[in-house]
Amino acid sequence: MPRVACAFWLRAPGQGEIRTVSLPEPGPDEVLVRTLHSAVSRGTETLVFRGGVPESQYGAMRAPFQDGDFPAPVRYGYLNVGVVEEGPPALRGRTVFCLFPHQTHYVVPAGAVTPVPPAVPAARAVLAGTVETAVNAVWDAAPQVGDRIAVVGGGMIGCSVAALLARYPAVRVQLVDADPARAATARALGVDFALPAEALGECDLVVHASATEEGLARSLDLLAPEGTVIELSWYGDRRVSLPLGEAFHSRRLVVRSSQVGAVSPARRARRSVADRLALALDLLADPAFDALISGESAFEDLPTVLPRLASGDLPALCHRIRYAPPDTA
């Protein structure tokens, strides 16, 4: 097996490159993984790409296997699926998910990889980190049978949350987005769709994931009295204005954050991070999640693809990255 690998690095804000990196020999409790697919987490990774991580959040925003420091140079990413080429016998040859950046091969502790269930194709398993975030958000939201729910923002996270909420009995779930093209994605996921001006109100719960001021304000508009907005958006270094005057207090509305860095308090005593990720992978047996894969590029094209994703020139939900098989690498 090769003892060098190719990795995508952010050389400077807005500028990426492929670098050659040396690989250590795997130890007795480590694995060598050959990457099959990775994926760009469009919201967070494009924010990192443009250098938008606030200095106060440098520590909180570190990815598990990040190399370098914000704003740059940095190797960043956390949606990776590969095959274990060397390691403990129980893992050798298994397809695994790992929170690792875009790199052709890598060595990590065996405990850092999660086997992909046989029912989940490797190409779909790159969504595991996204669906894990959605699982945590649903635990935070704690929907009830028969709730009226809106998910504002039809990106990767919003669509994943909507897909999970649609499994609850007798709920009304509507995906709300300014892009009419998201209607097709909503249909594939089994949920209703509406443009912001046409969304149904009197919601018990709104999950906001559009990362826009307008989306958050509309989320508040859609609530019934004493309803709750679960805020999933992360705005980086942008300041957000929120209409907390008028009827906000008299209607006793709630805005509550959700973030995947820790297991939701609703399940923290009984579920670990590993349990949460394993659950997300099990949920990906549903082929409906294929609707979130909106494009694919070769690994070697990442330096030109990421600027297009960051600028919006290349629209995407989840943009998957494919890696050359061993005989062509």
Side-chain angles (χ1 to χ4, degrees), residues 293-328:
I293 307 292
S294 56
E296 184 175 275
S297 300
F299 167 72
E300 56 268 23
D301 293 334
L302 260 175
T304 57
V305 166
L306 253 172
R308 296 181 63 204
L309 290 170
S311 69
D313 176 57
L314 183 61
L317 282 170
C318 175
H319 195 85
R320 188 167 56 207
I321 306 302
R322 66 177 180 271
Y323 290 72
D327 58 346
T328 61

Side-chain angles (χ1 to χ4, degrees), residues 57 59 76 259 302 311:
Q57 296 300 301
Y76 194 84
Q259 205 269 345
L302 260 175
S311 69

Side-chain angles (χ1 to χ4, degrees), residues 136-174:
N136 212 56
V138 172
W139 283 346
D140 281 335
Q144 302 294 314
V145 173
D147 272 358
R148 296 158 296 185
I149 306 173
V151 178
V152 177
M156 286 174 68
I157 301 296
C159 285
S160 297
V161 170
L164 297 186
L165 290 172
R167 297 165 181 244
Y168 279 73
V171 297
R172 183 192 82 190
V173 182
Q174 195 169 52

